[in-house]
């Protein structure tokens, strides 16, 4: 068997929301590389895949610094990409795991930019937290002719406002630490009755807020909190508003 | 065991890109309802889940008309929603499958709007084609501070142009029948070297076009063709462009 590198998406949190393909690959790995260091996310990725790993798989963690020093970060990415390539080219079955989906807001893409698209690389897609939240909250992410935008709440207020005005559906990530400003923005854009907030979707600590007007500004929020807006869905009546 | 209705996302096409949770649920269903009638998509959803179904599961197809007659469509949705609710309330394990993810551009949400959020309903998220395409094309969907928009190519040219100008990353669905206009738009917005097109991702007929400038206007495209744009990814060198 020739060596291969698999970038494996773990899905949003629950171990059984990984794909069958990912679970099968995890069971035949010689070694697994798991990122470590980002707040909560990384130990979560490893805990998701534990039930699927073979007992003989060597698990390595790689620490990606959060520092603002781009050279320091680039040096670590170079080193990890080099290690993954060497292991695969030496004939091993190598995995690298990423929370959610590997191609959406994931550290993996910095490694991809260094590896290119060699024959021995396979990227396995997964369920992003955004999709898991929509299912758990029973709020359609987008339908029919609707347009959808995904933004992080650390974008400028002007960009967030433009996005809320121009799109029917908006996913607002990274709410943590910014809830009062985001709540005020949703009110000012007239969409707060079409928004839900969810934290830790599919995990034991999952929480959903369906009436954001009633959530106090100082509500303690978990790190993984996301807001979904669908202007044509009425949260209270759980129904589609075509007008 | 009390009755339950599961809205099950099948993922993009390959049977092993379904989640472990969905595969397990499919194996214990009393009956499965599968939409039928939309071009290609529905028979595909059923073929994805076949390997996971128990031999004793009754399979029913429900035909959703594509007509412009909204009353006719509403009558069918009312009827199917009523059937699903009756089966679950009669104590059965009932499944309804949707291609990709149930909450993103899926017929399922019209049924959800009729069912509400009863205790006996569970929605199982899945890998959307958008994520599968990003993995198969090795093109990051969005990263870091980038903003992402998903639009259908049957939107107005002005909306498509605005979206391409305002977002770093854009997914353009429903390219079929509109390729020459979309290609001209990508050229006029200066982003054609940051775009890939993919058809039938994860299926045997998967195809990827990485140099859209060279694709003739009359290229015969499969029905499921999607374009991804990431302005900071250079398709030719497979690398991130931070400038």
């Amino acid at each position: 068997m020739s060596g291969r590198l698999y970038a494996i998406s773990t899905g949003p949190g629950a171990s059984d929301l990984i794909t069958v393909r990912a679970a099968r690959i995890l069971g035949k790995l010689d070694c697994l590389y798991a990122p470590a260091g980002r707040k909560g996310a990384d130990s979560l990725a490893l805990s998701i895949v534990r039930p699927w790993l073979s007992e003989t798989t060597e698990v390595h963690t790689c620490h990606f610094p959060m520092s603002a020093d781009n050279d320091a970060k680039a040096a670590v990415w170079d080193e990890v990409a080099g290690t993954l390539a060497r292991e695969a080219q030496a004939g091993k079955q190598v995995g690298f795991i990423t929370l959610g989906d590997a191609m959406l807001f994931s550290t993996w893409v910095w490694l991809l930019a260094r590896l290119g698209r060699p024959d021995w690389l396979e990227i396995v897609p997964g369920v992003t937290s955004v999709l898991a939240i929509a299912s758990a909250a029973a709020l359609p992410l987008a339908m029919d002719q609707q347009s959808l935008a995904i933004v992080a709440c650390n974008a400028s207020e002007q960009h967030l406002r433009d996005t809320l005005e121009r799109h029917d559906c908006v996913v607002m990530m990274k709410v943590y630490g910014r809830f009062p400003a985001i709540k005020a923005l949703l009110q000012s854009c007239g969409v707060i009755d079409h928004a839900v907030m969810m934290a830790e979707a599919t995990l034991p600590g999952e929480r959903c807020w369906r009436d954001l007007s009633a959530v106090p500004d100082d509500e303690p929020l978990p790190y993984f909190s996301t807001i979904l807006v669908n202007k044509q869905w009425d949260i209270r009546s759980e129904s589609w508003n075509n007008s």
Side-chain angles (χ1 to χ4, degrees), chain A:
Chain A
M1 193 154 58
S2 57
R4 284 185 81 73
L5 170 61
Y6 300 94
I8 303 169
S9 305
T10 68
S15 281
D16 65 350
L17 286 177
I18 202 165
T19 63
V20 172
R21 182 179 298 180
R24 286 174 176 168
I25 292 170
L26 286 162
K28 64 174 189 184
L29 293 179
D30 296 309
C31 52
L32 176 74
Y33 287 79
R38 287 185 308 152
K39 222 169 178 173
D42 299 319
S43 49
L44 177 56
L46 196 51
S47 73
I48 292 170
V49 302
R50 284 265 182 225
W52 310 110
L53 284 177
S54 149
E55 281 181 18
T56 59
T57 303
E58 281 176 30
V59 177
H60 305 271
T61 52
C62 14
H63 181 75
F64 295 101
M66 291 297 281
S67 85
D69 178 347
N70 287 328
D71 289 345
K73 285 199 275 194
V76 174
W77 290 326
D78 286 345
E79 192 195 320
V80 174
T83 302
L84 295 174
R86 261 195 317 279
E87 294 267 51
Q89 287 171 315
K92 290 192 186 166
Q93 304 300 306
V94 186
F96 180 88
I97 49 170
T98 72
L99 191 63
D101 180 82
M103 303 304 275
L104 189 61
F105 302 123
S106 160
T107 302
W108 156 252
V109 295
W110 300 113
L111 302 175
L112 176 64
R114 287 158 171 82
L115 292 164
R117 293 191 302 132
D119 285 346
W120 41 263
L121 170 64
E122 180 177 340
I123 308 171
V124 183
V127 176
T128 66
S129 64
V130 172
L131 296 170
I133 290 167
S135 276
L139 179 71
L141 207 50
M143 52 197 300
D144 244 21
Q145 309 295 319
Q146 290 188 316
S147 78
L148 168 69
I150 301 181
V151 290
C153 291
N154 55 355
S156 71
E157 191 194 319
Q158 190 54 50
H159 182 70
L160 294 175
R161 183 180 292 277
D162 278 352
T163 301
L164 283 167
E165 284 170 359
R166 285 167 188 277
H167 292 273
D168 306 305
C169 306
V170 180
V171 176
M172 309 182 80
M173 304 182 78
K174 303 191 185 177
V175 179
Y176 181 77
R178 303 178 182 96
F179 179 68
I182 299 299
K183 178 181 164 188
L185 183 62
L186 292 170
Q187 278 167 326
S188 131
C189 292
V191 298
I192 200 159
D193 291 339
H194 303 279
V196 301
M197 180 164 62
M198 183 164 274
E200 301 188 7
T202 83
L203 291 167
E206 176 178 302
R207 284 188 66 190
C208 186
W209 293 262
R210 302 185 79 83
D211 180 2
L212 291 190
S213 304
V215 179
D217 280 358
D218 60 354
E219 178 85 356
L221 294 182
Y223 185 66
F224 291 115
S225 297
T226 299
I227 289 174
L228 303 190
V229 177
N230 186 327
K231 292 181 186 173
Q232 286 168 283
W233 194 264
D234 186 339
I235 306 293
R236 280 170 214 187
S237 67
E238 313 276 351
S239 66
W240 179 251
N241 180 355
N242 234 338
S243 59

